[in-house]
Amino acid sequence: EPYFFDYVTDQLVKQYGAATVSSGGLHVYTTINPRMQRLARKAIRDNLYYRTDPASAVIAIDPRTGAIKAMTGIIPGKANNQFNLTSQAKRQPGSTFKTIVLASAISQGMDPYSTYYTSAPFTYQPDPYEKAWVVHTYSNTYVGTISVASATWQSDNTVFAQLTLDTGPQNVADMAYKLGIRQTKLDVVPAMGLGSDAVSPLEMASAYATIAAGGMYSEPLAI
């Protein structure tokens, strides 16, 4: 995997300096799992095989240690892509960011099973001279009163827009940093709760690994 090699090289340079790395003699043991790496590439190839398909990336992190077990990306039509889609490419994470909003709200004492909101088209316009933020669900269907837990299962945008505002966008940003969003400077706005900030797959994988580890953050490592 050429760009995994480049990623490892960058990490070595940060640790030991370019002169030491280029002079050779280092014995480097990576965290990558060859079988998982092959399966990650196969997962992409088996589903996105046309030249017109979007670029794709897969990264797997061991929550116990932060060890990167698989790191791959494919841009259709570019066999020798050197751009690391997992760590350099940034995309809006969409609804996957709602987990971070939920973590922030729960850390403030919110009980998702006993806290209720109204699932309905939601408009936020604190300044009448600025454009309103209008939020809909993906399917444009609404259920009325709903618990945060149920709204999470349904990924209800209107509820999470309200929850982000009540939790506080800055608190959501702080939680994102604690969990692992550390390369990106987040734009602290209400829409961030719905994934408006572009982040890297590596950052999102790290954040979810922290949650899987019961809140213990481990810096992603490749060596």
Side-chain angles (χ1 to χ4, degrees), residues 112-134:
Y113 295 96
S114 61
T115 302
Y116 288 82
Y117 282 89
T118 300
S119 169
F122 177 71
T123 300
Y124 179 69
Q125 191 177 20
D127 187 337
Y129 296 100
E130 293 187 2
K131 185 178 179 180
W133 181 41
V134 182

Side-chain angles (χ1 to χ4, degrees), residues 10-207:
D10 289 343
Q11 301 304 306
L12 289 171
V13 169
K14 288 179 182 178
Q15 184 71 30
Y16 300 108
T20 300
V21 174
S22 61
S23 65
L26 295 176
H27 292 274
V28 181
Y29 301 90
T30 71
T31 61
I32 212 78
N33 180 308
R35 179 175 177 275
M36 291 177 68
Q37 185 77 355
R38 287 193 301 271
L39 290 173
R41 289 190 70 80
K42 186 176 185 299
I44 295 176
R45 294 283 190 200
D46 287 355
N47 291 281
L48 300 166
Y49 36 79
Y50 295 114
R51 291 176 63 88
T52 53
D53 279 334
S56 313
V58 173
I59 181 162
I61 295 176
D62 186 338
R64 297 166 297 184
T65 61
I68 296 170
K69 294 300 184 180
M71 175 189 252
T72 190
I74 294 175
I75 299 178
K78 293 187 178 180
N80 297 313
N81 169 50
Q82 295 296 311
F83 182 68
N84 192 328
L85 292 170
T86 60
S87 63
Q88 295 175 303
K90 294 190 177 184
R91 302 288 188 272
Q92 290 181 323
S95 292
T96 58
F97 209 87
K98 290 174 182 172
T99 303
I100 296 174
V101 178
L102 191 61
S104 182
I106 289 172
S107 75
Q108 296 179 38
M110 188 274 297
D111 183 341
Y113 295 96
S114 61
T115 302
Y116 288 82
Y117 282 89
T118 300
S119 169
F122 177 71
T123 300
Y124 179 69
Q125 191 177 20
D127 187 337
Y129 296 100
E130 293 187 2
K131 185 178 179 180
W133 181 41
V134 182
V135 184
H136 301 273
T137 60
Y138 183 77
S139 61
N140 270 315
T141 57
Y142 308 93
V143 298
T145 302
I146 186 174
S147 70
V148 171
S150 294
T152 302
W153 305 134
Q154 297 182 29
S155 193
D156 192 307
N157 292 339
T158 65
V159 169
F160 270 85
Q162 298 171 74
L163 184 61
T164 301
L165 287 166
D166 289 347
T167 302
Q170 185 59 58
N171 291 326
V172 173
D174 292 344
M175 177 58 71
Y177 181 83
K178 290 176 183 176
L179 292 176
I181 309 295
R182 303 196 172 187
Q183 297 173 340
T184 301
K185 187 179 186 329
L186 297 174
D187 187 15
V188 183
V189 294
M192 71 184 304
L194 304 184
S196 63
D197 285 300
V199 297
S200 71
L202 174 62
E203 290 178 292
M204 286 304 293
S206 177

